[in-house]
Amino acid sequence: MQVIRLQALSDNYIFLLHDHQQNIAAVVDPAEAEPVLTQLAEIKAELVAIFNTHHHHDHVGGNKQLIKHFPNLTVYGGAEDQGRIPEQQVFLQQSDRVEFGHRTAAVLFVPGHTRAHIAYYFPPVTSGEPGELFCGDTLFAGGCGRLFEGTPAQMVESLNKLRSLPDNTRVWCAHEYTLKNLQFALTVDSENTELQRRYHEVKNYRSRQEATVPSSLGVEKLTNPFLRWEQPSLQLATKSSDPVQTFARLRGMKDKF
């Protein structure tokens, strides 16, 4: 399964999954239809599925136009997003499975950014290969999503589900926010040498307008403050030893950054 990263809007990423053997494609969070249609024409593939992570317009804005071009495709989303995702046909819950080509993804219920957010995890086919995590706006490279509809406790539980995946999992998050996320991270975890190294690396990438997505879960565990609420340095920065409160205070600080 090839993952093709497409740019959309100002800083969104759309992910097109391509099964070469069957020449079919699926798309994760199509903010717009045009980049998807252009890429499908280039690879001459049929779109068979839309995998939505949540209902926000910058993740579902292309649904209606895509289904006009491919009326037989299936639109997936979270069960609790029923009525909020255009053309949704399948309503997914924690531990459900979705099929694409010869691959099967586990559905993870990860509320926090929204009350209905889900993620899709395709485990590796063979040992040593990376898995593929499509996490929408729950986990970002160096950060996490704002809490629009959920609570800090929900988000900690959701992020804990994601960080329990293997370290070599590729993290396909939906926005190019990495540089600003790491700038914030350095204000609360300044002595973290892995974070310092990553910041300079990302700064160089962005100076050349290169994408920083996908990340890897192993890198996130070492450098992303929103996966590191047990770390003494971050508990000191937030003046709390309680994991949920530490996370909540970090999120509040980031909201004002």
Side-chain angles (χ1 to χ4, degrees), residues 54-56 80-81 84 111-117 146-151 154:
H54 63 294
H55 75 285
H56 286 162
E80 296 194 33
D81 257 334
R84 304 203 296 180
H113 179 65
T114 69
R115 61 178 169 81
H117 205 299
R146 287 177 180 265
L147 305 186
F148 288 124
E149 297 179 355
T151 66
Q154 284 179 313

Side-chain angles (χ1 to χ4, degrees), residues 137-149:
D137 287 355
T138 297
L139 175 65
F140 291 131
C144 75
R146 287 177 180 265
L147 305 186
F148 288 124
E149 297 179 355

Side-chain angles (χ1 to χ4, degrees), residues 21-38:
Q21 292 182 346
Q22 300 180 59
N23 206 28
I24 56 173
V27 64
V28 181
D29 286 349
E32 300 176 289
E34 289 77 10
V36 179
L37 293 171
T38 299

Side-chain angles (χ1 to χ4, degrees), residues 71-88:
N72 295 321
L73 67 76
T74 303
V75 181
Y76 298 82
E80 296 194 33
D81 257 334
Q82 187 164 358
R84 304 203 296 180
I85 292 178
E87 312 294 337
Q88 185 178 359

